[in-house]
Each structure stands twice: as structure tokens, then as C-alpha cells.
Amino acid sequence: MTYVEKISKKGTDYFLITFGAFLYAIGTSLFNDPNNIAPGGITGAAIVLNRIVPIGTGIWFMLMNIPILFLAIYKFGIRFTISTIYATIANSIFTDLLAKYATGFIVKDVMLGAIFGSAFVAVGIGITFKSHATTGGTDVIIKVLRLKYPHIKTGVLFLISDVFVVTFAGIVLRDIKVVLYSFLAVMITSFVIDFVLYGRDEAKLIYIISDNTDKITSRLLEELDVGVTHVFGQGAYSGEDKKVILCAIKKRLSPLAEDIVREEDPDAFMIVTSASEIFGEGYKSYFDERI
């Protein structure tokens, strides 16, 4: 990558981080905060603390992030943390600016606040993560945990941490309806984050054992344009050698593949299982950063 390309990529990243921070602030200032919804994380804690000591939610967000940013420097280095510091400051500024100057756009409806507030926050977090930064707060803690537990998805870790913040909000606000809506917001945030980060690349992994392997393989290749691998095995009871078809296929094509097998060999033995992540041609790149 040339120097110009590096500069261009860095500029694109910071533009996306800024956009992500703005979306995050929209969710916080226009939807969550006005409805007393604490959507977990440092933002939720900042909203609750704002009710105790009435300084800006954005300022609380910045103050609580200071020790976490030191953790980020320690774990990920200053180069990574610069972008996170930028995202944190942008979040803080946008949050208080929107709360001050966009009062006409504030939505005073708890249900809409929970749904759209959490959606905006989640998309903002996802865009920032994909731009090689975090929005500060528990995002940094989640990123640290992902180093140790890479098999647990980001949204799940957010869900676990956010439960503690929502419980704290319930104790302070003493409003069970708001707490329940906050839990709803946490659930939506978890789902949307995983959707933004991982996409809908859920797929099916199909194993087919048949006497008509070649015909089935030919139709899968020609009609569905999917990759097929032959795995050689042996029947434990019969002792016969078998060609087993192994096929990773997108979810929407799975019924078509099953129809092909049914038409070519109604007696075929077929195992269909879910594959939550697939890397390789037609799917995600091996070289994409694990988020």
C-alpha cells in the first residue's frame, strides 16, 4: 500500500468514526436520554449519573472514559488508542450539542426511544468498530475480553456487561417500566451490533452420502454455483468406500440444494447443520480483522 493510499484509508476511517459517533449521539440525546432509558455501558451509566449530579451526559461520558482509555493504551498501544480517544471526544461533544440544540427533534416516547435509540447507538458502535476504533467506555473492555474469549461474539459480551448497568439504573430511577424498556434497548443493541459487524452470513453446512454423488455434485455446481468438496470415507458396517459431498451454502440456497438431493437420490443420507461464520471466496476474507 502506497503512502497516498494509507493517508486516504486513514481519512476514510476517521470520517466513518465521526459518522459513527454522530449516530451514537443521536440515539443517546434524542431518544434514550429524554426517556430515562439507560441502554447499558458507560452511556447508560452517564445518563443515570446525570440524574444524580446534573452535568451534561456527554461530560459524564468523557470523565468515566479517562481510566478506560489508559487501559486501552496499555492493551492496544497508543496508535490504536488515538482513534478511540478521538471517537470518545466526538461522542461526548455530539451528545451534549444535540441535547442542547436539537430539542425540537427529541422523541418523548419510551417505546420509540428504546427501539430507535438503541438502533442508532448500535449502528454507531458497529461503524466505529469496523473503522478500527471503539466508542470508548465498555467498548474497550469488550475489545479486551475478545482477545481472551474470541469465540464469544461482541454483541453477547455487550449484553452481559449491560445487564449490570441497567440494574444500577433500576436502583437509582426506581421505575420498573423504564428498566424493562432499558433491557429491551440492550437486546436490540446486541442484535444490531452483531448484524453490522458480522452481517447476515449465516449459512448451512451440508454433508451428503449418496450412490449418485457425481450427478448431485454436477447439479450443485451448475445450478447453484456453489463450492463442493469430496471427502473420502468408508462405511463402518459395509466396509464400502464412499465419496461424501461437503458443501457450505448460503441459507437461502439450502432448500434448493435439498431438492436436488431429493430428486437425484431419495435414499441419500444428508446432514444439514448451521454455520455461523464462513471464511473464503464468496464469504468473509481470512484477512479481515477479527472484531
Side-chain angles (χ1 to χ4, degrees):
M1 187 180 290
T2 65
Y3 180 75
V4 174
E5 289 173 333
K6 288 181 180 178
I7 293 295
S8 176
K9 185 178 184 306
K10 186 62 70 175
T12 301
D13 283 344
Y14 273 88
F15 171 79
L16 290 174
I17 291 169
T18 305
F19 181 59
F22 184 67
L23 293 179
Y24 193 110
I26 287 176
T28 301
S29 296
L30 304 186
F31 292 93
N32 288 331
D33 202 350
N35 293 292
N36 289 327
I37 296 172
I42 295 299
T43 303
I47 290 171
V48 175
L49 289 172
N50 171 263
R51 275 46 175 181
I52 300 172
V53 180
I55 62 176
T57 299
I59 294 175
W60 270 120
F61 180 81
M62 188 70 243
L63 291 175
M64 286 188 290
N65 264 296
I66 292 174
I68 296 173
L69 291 173
F70 279 109
L71 172 65
I73 294 172
Y74 172 71
K75 294 297 291 186
F76 304 112
I78 189 64
R79 290 183 65 184
F80 167 82
T81 311
I82 286 174
S83 58
T84 294
I85 291 171
Y86 173 80
T88 303
I89 294 173
N91 273 343
S92 179
I93 292 173
F94 282 141
T95 296
D96 283 348
L97 282 178
L98 285 174
K100 186 176 181 181
Y101 295 107
T103 53
F105 295 94
I106 287 175
V107 176
K108 280 285 195 177
D109 184 290
V110 183
M111 177 63 81
L112 292 177
I115 295 172
F116 287 94
S118 56
F120 273 108
V121 167
V123 173
I125 291 172
I127 290 173
T128 305
F129 264 50
K130 295 192 86 169
S131 303
H132 311 103
T134 78
T135 53
T138 51
D139 297 7
V140 173
I141 299 171
I142 297 304
K143 194 122 181 155
V144 171
L145 289 173
R146 282 280 290 166
L147 293 176
K148 189 171 183 181
Y149 306 105
H151 57 285
I152 304 177
K153 285 190 173 183
T154 300
V156 174
L157 290 171
F158 270 109
L159 180 59
I160 294 170
S161 65
D162 289 345
V163 165
F164 293 101
V165 175
V166 174
T167 302
F168 171 61
I171 294 171
V172 173
L173 298 175
R174 297 181 182 179
D175 187 337
I176 188 63
K177 287 180 66 176
V178 170
V179 171
L180 293 175
Y181 279 120
S182 295
F183 272 116
L184 174 63
V186 168
M187 295 288 188
I188 295 171
T189 300
S190 174
F191 173 80
V192 176
I193 286 174
D194 277 345
F195 182 82
V196 173
L197 293 181
Y198 306 111
R200 295 191 55 158
D201 82 329
E202 285 190 358
K204 296 291 186 179
L205 183 61
I206 303 177
Y207 296 90
I208 305 164
I209 303 172
S210 169
D211 292 328
N212 294 327
T213 301
D214 292 337
K215 286 185 179 180
I216 294 172
T217 299
S218 178
R219 289 190 63 183
L220 289 173
L221 291 171
E222 292 174 8
E223 297 177 24
L224 302 186
D225 192 27
V226 296
V228 176
T229 300
H230 286 158
V231 180
F232 293 89
Q234 186 180 69
Y237 177 75
S238 65
E240 293 181 8
D241 291 335
K242 289 282 187 179
K243 263 197 306 191
V244 180
I245 298 173
L246 171 63
C247 180
I249 189 168
K250 295 195 177 193
K251 207 170 182 178
R252 60 185 173 81
L253 296 177
S254 178
L256 300 178
E258 293 172 19
D259 287 342
I260 289 172
V261 175
R262 195 175 297 112
E263 290 168 11
E264 293 298 334
D265 184 2
D267 297 321
F269 187 77
M270 181 166 56
I271 302 171
V272 181
T273 184
S274 295
S276 61
E277 290 186 90
I278 297 179
F279 294 87
E281 186 176 352
Y283 295 91
K284 294 192 293 190
S285 170
Y286 293 108
F287 306 104
D288 286 345
E289 181 182 357
R290 299 284 291 178
I291 303 176

